[in-house]
Amino acid sequence: MEEINSLLQGFAVALTPYNLVLMLVGIVLGVIIGVLPGLGGANGVAILLPLTFSMSPTSAIIMLSCIYWGALFGGAITSILFNIPGEPWSVATTFDGHPMAQKGRADEALTAAFTSSFVGALVAVLLITFLAPLVARFALKFGPAEFFAVYFLTFASFIGMGKGSPFKVIASMCLGFALGAVGLDKVTGTLRMTFGHEELLNGFDFLIAVIGLFGIGEILSSMESGLKFSGSHATIRFDAVLRTWKTLLTYWATSIRSCIIGCWMGITPGGATPASFMSYGLAKKFSKNGHNFGKGEIEGVIAPETAAHAAGTSALLPMLTLGIPGSPTAAVLLGGLMIWGLQPGPLLFVEQKEFVWGLIASMYLGNVVGLIVVLTCVPLFSAILRVPFSIIAPVILVICAIGAFTVHNSMFDVWLMLGFGFMGYVFQKLDYPLPPLVLAIVLGDKAEEGFRQALLGSQGSLTIFWSNPLVASIMGLGAILLFWPLLSWIKERKAVPAMQAHGVVGGAGNSQDQIGRLAQLRQRNAELKQKLAAAMIEHDGLQATTIDQLEADNRTLEARLERYEMEIANSRKDRGN
């Protein structure tokens, strides 16, 4: 009951005319950001963060969070109409959304995407409403050792649950720790790695780093690929909306499953992109129409959109209650809270109750406003893609430069932003993840502070991190996640000889075991599918022969993969007989 009363007070804050206008402006800006490839929720929030410096923290966070909701909605528009994923998590939506548009069912696909996004976000906001206060009250019992354990668990989660190479994640994170350590040591007061530059006394400003890494880095990558837009246009008919809503009710099981996946991947640092792909894969596996996925099946739109929105929204739960961002955008919002003088964590629910519940109330209102805006303004937002990217890119670069300059009114920050932008571009070219780097910059100094305070309290004894069941369980879980890639590798290594001994793998004439080849082919097949999806984006930098070659390679790999799977199935069958 206390949560309901607090939420009603939050609605009183969010429903002021000024905040409603900011909410609408944020949604519109967010949809535009979502429509434009090369930008994204984290990039848009980072670029526009300086606009909120003159606002109150509550109004500022309402506008920035609505930019994020709008970006989540906007990514589906280009994915369905133009086969251009406006956001990384919208890639899975193109698999069935664009085929539906090609069949003249664009309004159905867009309605399904927007409504599913709304449902996923609504479930996640309900989760935040009733779970966040409980988590915050529990976290009030935390001391320095417990907070360090939570930070350690967060860093370890990125390593253990990351989809890429764990070594690249660790390398990216270590660089973030090094950058976060620059400036004044908060414990001893000594200077670290300033190299005589007074501008670095306070370290690297988080906002400068984020604008460069996300904004400039993404724009450089898009400019390199010579991105151009072309595709179909669509309007949403009211009768199609009603018909699609009626159809969506029959897919309630898919929606529930996708909400669960999305909320879990949002609270853990999984993110919206893996949530959308995981939900799409499970929907295809359990659907009675799974064989039609990829040909224009509406369930293939419902699943990824529901999961992506649920993940993107629920990522704010650990950020508000523990000060741990669950996504890159949440990390940017976390930096914004610190700039406004707020400390995310359990005390936020006690000291800044109006701010927290105003934000939660705006999540409800923002998603309702977002659903109305995208359903009524699709032709307007899709027309943005008629503007040449050669015009859009310089405008975004200028906005980034202005944003960086206004932080401290210093040209040094602009040069730093460009340096971070080049770093972000190099990271993308080398396939190094940016979220671990950003996370380490944001939380690195806090993790260090918690670690050193805990050691000071225990007179240098590391047993403080195992001194009670709570901190020991968190540290133990973090250790498991940290070494999970190693454990998985050992398990795979042991599985191959065991299967060979039972006759499942191996055979005359084979120079390699089939399991190893099958794993390599699966990985290569997935990589080719991603490249193929990117290649089919409409831009000048690719020739038709490249796409044809990728399609031919993919067909060849599919055939080889099917043959190896058949051999293994036959081996198992023979062994059973």
Side-chain angles (χ1 to χ4, degrees):
M1 194 63 186
E2 182 182 349
E3 287 79 8
I4 300 297
N5 293 332
S6 299
L7 183 61
L8 292 176
Q9 295 175 9
F11 276 113
V13 173
L15 284 173
T16 60
Y18 179 65
N19 286 338
L20 285 175
V21 171
L22 291 179
M23 197 179 299
L24 181 61
V25 171
I27 290 291
V28 173
L29 289 174
V31 175
I32 293 173
I33 288 169
V35 165
L36 293 174
L39 286 178
N43 309 338
V45 172
I47 293 170
L48 298 177
L49 187 58
L51 297 179
T52 65
F53 287 170
S54 61
M55 303 178 187
S56 67
T58 305
S59 299
I61 196 67
I62 287 175
M63 180 177 176
L64 291 176
S65 62
C66 285
I67 291 173
Y68 185 33
W69 314 145
L72 286 168
F73 278 116
I77 296 177
T78 50
S79 296
I80 292 170
L81 296 183
F82 301 91
N83 201 32
I84 301 174
E87 303 286 352
W89 54 77
S90 299
V91 173
T93 307
T94 63
F95 299 159
D96 284 277
H98 189 61
M100 288 181 69
Q102 289 177 320
K103 295 177 181 178
R105 300 170 57 200
D107 48 4
E108 295 180 32
L110 289 168
T111 302
F114 298 150
T115 308
S116 300
S117 297
F118 173 77
V119 170
L122 180 62
V123 171
V125 176
L126 288 171
L127 181 72
I128 292 174
T129 302
F130 295 102
L131 190 59
L134 298 177
V135 176
R137 282 196 290 269
F138 176 72
L140 284 173
K141 303 176 182 178
F142 282 20
E146 285 79 7
F147 273 112
F148 172 76
V150 171
Y151 295 136
F152 174 71
L153 176 61
T154 306
F155 298 136
S157 298
F158 270 84
I159 298 171
M161 301 181 65
K163 61 180 180 179
S165 167
F167 297 105
K168 289 185 175 181
V169 174
I170 293 173
S172 179
M173 201 173 286
C174 287
L175 180 59
F177 289 141
L179 294 174
V182 173
L184 191 67
D185 186 342
K186 294 181 180 179
V187 177
T188 63
T190 58
L191 295 178
R192 300 188 298 192
M193 295 185 287
T194 58
F195 302 105
H197 292 279
E198 295 181 1
E199 296 88 348
L200 295 178
L201 290 178
N202 294 322
F204 292 108
D205 193 283
F206 168 77
L207 181 60
I208 305 298
V210 169
I211 292 177
L213 290 170
F214 286 105
I216 304 297
E218 288 286 349
I219 293 301
L220 290 176
S221 297
S222 300
M223 291 170 63
E224 181 189 33
S225 61
L227 193 60
K228 284 191 69 174
F229 311 130
S230 63
S232 59
H233 305 283
T235 56
I236 297 181
R237 298 164 294 177
F238 184 68
D239 61 327
V241 172
L242 296 179
R243 187 172 63 252
T244 305
W245 281 352
K246 185 177 180 180
T247 304
L248 292 180
L249 295 176
T250 62
Y251 296 105
W252 59 271
T254 301
S255 296
I256 293 175
R257 182 175 59 245
S258 299
C259 286
I260 294 173
I261 294 171
C263 290
W264 171 252
M265 295 297 286
I267 294 174
T268 61
T273 303
S276 64
F277 278 100
M278 183 185 299
S279 182
Y280 182 87
L282 289 177
K284 183 177 181 180
K285 180 178 180 180
F286 290 108
S287 174
K288 61 181 180 180
N289 299 321
H291 59 282
N292 287 330
F293 273 55
K295 302 176 183 178
E297 184 67 32
I298 193 171
E299 192 174 0
V301 176
I302 296 171
E305 284 296 315
T306 304
H309 231 70
T313 305
S314 59
L316 297 182
L317 173 61
M319 188 270 283
L320 290 173
T321 57
L322 300 174
I324 306 291
S327 69
T329 307
V332 178
L333 292 175
L334 175 66
L337 296 183
M338 294 178 179
I339 291 173
W340 300 320
L342 301 176
Q343 179 58 53
L347 289 176
L348 197 65
F349 283 76
V350 178
E351 299 173 351
Q352 301 290 338
K353 194 172 182 180
E354 179 181 308
F355 168 84
V356 172
W357 289 105
L359 170 61
I360 294 176
S362 75
M363 294 181 188
Y364 288 97
L365 298 173
N367 280 284
V368 173
V369 172
L371 180 63
I372 296 172
V373 168
V374 292
L375 283 174
T376 55
C377 301
V378 164
L380 176 63
F381 289 122
S382 61
I384 294 173
L385 296 185
R386 300 176 192 171
V387 180
F389 194 76
S390 57
I391 295 176
I392 294 176
V395 171
I396 296 174
L397 288 173
V398 171
I399 293 174
C400 290
I402 293 174
F405 180 81
T406 55
V407 175
H408 299 119
N409 293 326
S410 170
M411 274 301 298
F412 181 77
D413 290 338
V414 178
W415 295 118
L416 271 182
M417 175 203 69
L418 294 176
F420 278 111
F422 179 74
M423 181 190 299
Y425 169 75
V426 172
F427 266 53
Q428 292 188 44
K429 296 293 287 184
L430 298 178
D431 197 27
Y432 276 75
L434 282 176
L437 172 66
V438 174
L439 183 74
I441 294 176
V442 176
L443 296 181
D445 60 336
K446 294 189 173 297
E448 179 193 5
E449 186 176 349
F451 179 78
R452 295 170 71 178
Q453 286 179 352
L455 289 182
L456 287 173
S458 65
Q459 297 182 348
S461 175
L462 291 175
T463 57
I464 185 67
F465 299 111
W466 309 92
S467 58
N468 61 70
L470 175 61
V471 68
S473 60
I474 298 175
M475 287 293 292
L477 181 58
I480 292 173
L481 288 173
L482 178 62
F483 293 105
W484 187 257
L486 178 62
L487 296 174
S488 300
W489 179 78
I490 294 174
K491 183 178 179 181
E492 290 174 2
R493 295 277 295 180
K494 288 184 176 180
V496 173
M499 297 183 75
Q500 285 178 331
H502 287 86
V504 178
V505 182
N510 286 343
S511 59
Q512 302 177 292
D513 62 77
Q514 292 171 336
I515 289 293
R517 285 185 292 170
L518 182 60
Q520 292 174 358
L521 281 170
R522 284 189 187 278
Q523 182 179 358
R524 180 59 178 159
N525 187 259
E527 292 174 356
L528 277 175
K529 283 181 179 178
Q530 291 180 354
K531 291 180 181 179
L532 180 62
M536 289 186 174
I537 293 176
E538 301 291 339
H539 63 77
D540 292 338
L542 288 176
Q543 303 296 327
T545 53
T546 305
I547 298 175
D548 293 341
Q549 183 62 46
L550 282 169
E551 288 177 334
D553 291 347
N554 209 25
R555 285 193 295 270
T556 301
L557 279 170
E558 290 281 5
R560 291 173 62 191
L561 182 62
E562 184 178 354
R563 178 163 56 87
Y564 285 127
E565 287 178 330
M566 189 176 299
E567 287 180 13
I568 292 175
N570 290 336
S571 297
R572 288 174 176 162
K573 185 177 179 181
D574 293 341
R575 177 174 168 264
N577 295 334

